[in-house]
Structure formats: structure tokens, C-alpha cells
Amino acid sequence: MKLNKWICVTAVLAAGAVAYPAGAQEKFPTKNIRMLVPFAAGSQTDILARWIGEEFLKSWGQQVVVDNRPSAGGTIASQVVLDANADGHTMMMVSTGHAGNATLFSKLPYDTIRDFSGVSQVASVPNLLVVAPNLGPKNVKDLIAYVKAGAGKVNFSSAGIGSGTQINGEMFNLAAGIKATHVPYKGAPDALNNVIGGNVQFNFAPILVAMGQVKAGRVLALAVSTANRSPLFPNVPTVAEAGLPGFDYDQWYGLLVAAKTPRPVVDAVNKEVVRILSAPEMKERMLTQGASPKPTTPAQFDAFIRAEVKKFAPVIIASGAKVN
């Protein structure tokens, strides 16, 4: 009887060992975590990465090193993740542009869908359409008329080629029937500063980056990119309300790892991210900065990215934007 019991226990343990993917670790993390950010320090992507990293340190006792790689629309940062050991210790905070790159770049060194695994979406953030106060336009209709009168001499800035803020600007061009010229910078703060400095005429800036400059009167907020107004700027209309019905652009952010990362590790990181985003303190911290926490399962985030790739493809193609 004891022998049979021992055999049963051994069989159960063996079955568990077989079910546990090769290379997966029983404990995670076992060393410092490297968090790739495809944009400059101070960008919304960077800020969210650091917030999540702070909480990882509290929970896991391992340092999170934020590695900013603000170039090539995030493709360099993406390749760094894929070149590292797929053990979960190298991850990347991405934004909307990650999905747009699948169409924007004629040749990518990776497959946006196949080579990455979603951990969780992190946040949804509206962009603010901003101009310099002395530019002239005081609302969206004024800005559209200003661009049309500029005969191709009006520019809009973005956080870089392939960034979500570029996609937002291209969507605006298409919806408004205008052709403002895209000028890329190395991050959202630089893109916004060049509106203030008068080097470009308008920008769709993540609300967390733009909020202080709007309140200080350095830029004028004409509209919010999302379908609903922001509680932080209740008097600022949406682009749809201001003259382009149906316009809706969500500047989302999320966490990715290499697709080869063992599933138990992905699930462990997801569990921690969901816990962080569900904590009242983090909810309050995000909401006071204009961001809405958006915890998901890995499968839900993967499906969301696939849908965003399809959504942005016709916009990018119609805009004529392309990176060789």
C-alpha cells in the first residue's frame, strides 16, 4: 500500500516536471531586471516604466535598470530585447508606435506579432493637441484652416519615427484632409519643446508630458485625442467634438518580453503588473497624471496588439509615411 502511494506521488511530481517548460525558473527574478524604453528620459513611456520598476523593486528586491534607446522608432530597443536571454529579465515598455511599425517600416529585423509576447497592457492615455499660444489658431477648425493656408509649410512634431504621436498626427492629417509635414524628435518632451520654441506648429503630446506646459500657459490645448474628454481638462473638447466626428486615438502603453520567454515567467510578471496597476495608490497616481490603468492578461494584450496593427495599417498607408 505504501509502495503504491509512493508510486502515485512520484508520478504526480514527474508529470508536473514535464508540464513545466524547459528553461523556466522556479523563482523569478534571480537578478536585476533590464527595462528597455524606446524613447528618451522624461517621455510618458519612460515615466511609466520607472513607476512600474519602482514597484518591482519593492516586491522582488531586484533593481530595475531603465535603458533608454530613443532611436529608429523603437526598433533598436526591440532588437536588444530579442538578442538578450529570453528569461524574463529583459523586458520593454512600448507604446502605440510598436503596432504601427509593422506597417511603417518596409523591413523590420523582427516580426511584431510572432517575436514578442505581451505581458500586460499598462495604461491608456489621451494626447493633447497643442499649439504655441501666439500661433493664431484657438480651436481645431482654426488649425485646419491654418494648415491649409500654409501651402505645405506647416509642420507637426512627434516623439520619433514610428512613435504613437506620429501615428496620431497622421490620423489627424487624414481625417482633416490636410498635409502637415512630420518632424520627428527623440522623445515627447523634445517634440513639445519645439512647439514652444516655434520650430514646429503643432503636436499631439501625451497628457502627462504636456500637462505642466499647458497649465503654465506655454502651449494652448486645442483638443483631446480620445473619444472622451479628460477629467484633468474638462473644458478642452475632444477632436471629434471640435469638428472631426468619429476621431478617436488612444495613446496606450504596455509591457513586452521576447516570445521565447517561458510561460510561467510571463505569468509571474503579469501577476505582479496586474497587482501593481490594481493597487489604489497606483490608480490614484496614474489618474492624477491623466493616465488610466489598463491591466490585462498576456493573451488579451497579444490580441490587442494584433488588432492595433490592422487598425493603423490603412492610416499609415494612406499618409504615405514609410521608413526603408
Side-chain angles (χ1 to χ4, degrees):
M1 194 72 174
K2 290 182 178 179
L3 179 61
N4 289 338
K5 183 178 180 180
W6 181 86
I7 291 172
C8 289
V9 171
T10 302
V12 169
L13 292 174
V18 171
Y20 202 74
Q25 299 171 339
E26 293 183 8
K27 182 182 178 182
F28 178 87
T30 59
K31 57 184 178 181
N32 288 350
I33 293 169
R34 186 182 188 187
M35 179 89 74
L36 273 295
V37 173
F39 302 104
S43 63
Q44 184 124 28
T45 317
D46 176 76
I47 292 168
L48 290 171
R50 293 178 190 276
W51 286 359
I52 296 298
E54 289 170 6
E55 298 303 316
F56 281 168
L57 173 60
K58 293 176 186 177
S59 298
W60 290 334
Q62 298 287 355
Q63 293 289 337
V64 177
V65 179
V66 175
D67 186 353
N68 297 90
R69 298 293 181 103
S71 57
T75 59
I76 291 177
S78 297
Q79 194 61 54
V80 171
V81 174
L82 297 179
D83 289 342
N85 290 333
D87 57 6
H89 291 90
T90 302
M91 55 186 72
M92 178 169 62
M93 184 70 74
V94 298
S95 63
T96 317
H98 178 74
N101 283 347
T103 303
L104 183 64
F105 284 79
S106 57
K107 292 182 180 180
L108 281 175
Y110 55 81
D111 186 288
T112 302
I113 303 301
R114 184 191 64 226
D115 292 337
F116 293 94
S117 175
V119 173
S120 174
Q121 190 175 346
V122 170
S124 170
V125 185
N127 284 337
L128 289 178
L129 172 57
V130 298
V131 298
N134 61 358
L135 185 68
K138 303 302 179 186
N139 54 52
V140 170
K141 289 184 178 179
D142 285 351
L143 179 60
I144 293 172
Y146 179 90
V147 177
K148 289 180 177 179
K153 297 180 180 180
V154 177
N155 303 321
F156 77 93
S157 58
S158 82
I161 295 172
S163 67
T165 50
Q166 179 190 1
I167 295 172
N168 197 166
E170 300 294 2
M171 285 182 68
F172 183 70
N173 269 340
L174 190 62
I178 58 177
K179 188 56 181 176
T181 302
H182 172 232
V183 180
Y185 290 90
K186 288 188 175 182
D190 281 350
L192 183 60
N193 287 337
N194 277 275
V195 172
I196 297 171
N199 297 319
V200 291
Q201 284 65 54
F202 70 92
N203 171 237
F204 279 92
I207 198 168
L208 180 55
V209 175
M211 183 165 53
Q213 303 287 21
V214 173
K215 291 183 176 180
R218 297 187 185 94
V219 290
L220 177 65
L222 302 186
V224 176
S225 67
T226 46
N228 299 312
R229 295 191 183 195
S230 168
L232 296 181
F233 293 95
N235 295 324
V236 176
T238 66
V239 173
E241 291 173 330
L244 297 178
F247 192 95
D248 180 15
Y249 178 86
D250 172 19
Q251 182 77 15
W252 55 262
Y253 300 84
L255 202 59
L256 298 178
V257 292
K260 295 179 181 179
T261 305
R263 182 51 50 176
V265 171
V266 176
D267 291 341
V269 180
N270 171 264
K271 183 178 180 181
E272 183 60 18
V273 172
V274 171
R275 184 197 67 76
I276 290 168
L277 297 178
S278 301
E281 301 82 10
M282 182 57 75
K283 285 183 178 180
E284 181 65 20
R285 188 178 191 182
M286 283 196 173
L287 291 172
T288 57
Q289 299 298 318
S292 300
K294 291 288 182 180
T296 66
T297 66
Q300 287 171 336
F301 192 34
D302 283 337
F304 177 75
I305 291 175
R306 288 194 296 271
E308 291 290 278
V309 168
K310 292 181 180 179
K311 173 183 174 181
F312 295 139
V315 174
I316 293 169
I317 292 169
S319 75
K322 201 71 179 175
V323 180
N324 294 326

